[in-house]
Amino acid sequence: MRDQPAKVSLARCAEYNPAMLHQAVSEVLQPFGGMENLVRPGDKVLLKPNLVMGRAPEKAVNTHPAFVQAVAEQVKDCGGELLLGDSPGLESAAKACRACGLDKVMERVGGRIIEFTLDPDARKQAGFLGDVDMARELREVDVHLNLPKFKTHELTGLTIGVKNCFGTVVGMLKFQWHYRAGHSPELFSKMLVDVYRQAAPQMTIVDAVVGMEGRGPTAGEPRELGFVAAGPDCLALD
């Protein structure tokens, strides 16, 4: 019998209004049993936003802080311990969070910002381009929620769920992978799929309320899209 196609869920959300965001996040998770089907009381939950660099929310470079807060509040309601982490290439996660407002979000919800660190035991086979050093913290949490921003990307075309997992490669090591793949979208994309499979988020929830078009992932223009999307399979979701 043929495998059933992976399920993807979408909901309209016209703006970063807290009530609208809460409703949209609840709606996209409903087909998967809701947040309560992902998070149990006492679970350590990693929120992995797109945190490229410290930029104001209206620039649409990073996952919007109001979107992250809507997800975080639902995790907290389920009794989860909130951690927010990423590995920006040129600055610490804490510094980037201060610039884009995610530090205030974590203060409000009682969560912690963490820096991804190297761990030789977390090294994973990344296929044809060699081994990749994944963040130690992936092994130390119970639930990994991938929270990408919907953006264009000058090399891969789009950066959504799969590409966001590249942030689990620590710090400057990401530049080495860019160098290895050169300017080949095909090679780089194959490497991204390998990293995504190792990062293995339990659920991806996409901030597509306002995305980015043009010279993404950092130099494009904001574009109103008006939706939120979710699914456990990033390949289907993207």
Side-chain angles (χ1 to χ4, degrees):
M1 188 171 68
R2 266 187 178 177
D3 291 337
Q4 293 297 310
K7 187 180 292 184
V8 173
S9 176
L10 297 96
R12 294 183 185 276
C13 189
E15 59 187 80
Y16 291 109
N17 171 281
M20 294 174 68
L21 285 166
H22 182 88
Q23 174 62 31
V25 170
S26 296
E27 188 174 335
V28 293
L29 292 180
Q30 190 276 330
F32 311 104
M35 188 67 78
E36 60 271 23
N37 196 44
L38 294 166
V39 177
R40 300 287 185 264
D43 279 352
K44 286 188 176 181
V45 180
L46 172 65
L47 305 181
K48 165 59 181 80
N50 187 315
L51 187 60
V52 182
M53 58 178 66
R55 290 292 185 272
E58 59 268 21
K59 298 294 186 182
V61 171
N62 304 308
T63 308
H64 197 284
F67 179 88
V68 174
Q69 181 165 331
V71 175
E73 287 173 346
Q74 295 196 24
V75 170
K76 187 176 179 181
D77 288 345
C78 293
E81 178 185 342
L82 283 160
L83 306 172
L84 184 145
D86 199 359
S87 186
L90 298 176
E91 58 192 334
S92 69
K95 183 177 179 180
C97 284
R98 286 194 296 272
C100 70
L102 282 170
D103 60 333
K104 301 298 185 185
V105 170
M106 287 295 101
E107 287 177 14
R108 285 193 289 269
V109 298
R112 290 192 294 121
I113 296 167
I114 60 172
E115 305 289 343
F116 286 166
T117 55
L118 283 173
D119 181 358
D121 293 332
R123 176 171 288 178
K124 301 293 184 182
Q125 187 68 31
F128 63 100
L129 286 179
D131 291 341
V132 61
D133 290 293
M134 308 291 286
R136 174 198 306 267
E137 290 69 23
L138 291 175
R139 299 191 299 117
E140 298 175 347
V141 298
D142 302 297
V143 181
H144 171 191
L145 298 181
N146 188 27
L147 307 180
K149 184 77 162 178
F150 193 120
K151 299 186 291 184
T152 51
H153 192 283
E154 290 188 293
L155 182 60
T156 60
L158 286 176
T159 168
I160 317 177
V162 171
K163 176 66 169 62
N164 197 48
C165 290
F166 193 44
T168 61
V169 177
V170 178
M172 298 296 288
L173 291 175
K174 290 192 287 294
F175 293 104
Q176 296 179 24
W177 285 94
H178 273 286
Y179 177 79
R180 291 186 199 182
H183 296 288
S184 168
E186 182 178 0
L187 285 179
F188 191 64
S189 297
K190 285 182 176 179
M191 180 274 296
L192 291 177
V193 172
D194 287 334
V195 170
Y196 156 64
R197 286 173 171 154
Q198 300 296 344
Q202 279 77 24
M203 183 64 64
T204 294
I205 313 170
V206 183
D207 171 10
V209 180
V210 177
M212 177 183 284
E213 67 178 357
R215 295 182 57 225
T218 59
E221 296 296 325
R223 171 68 180 268
E224 293 183 5
L225 299 174
F227 71 95
V228 172
D233 184 336
C234 277
L235 298 176
L237 182 61
D238 286 5

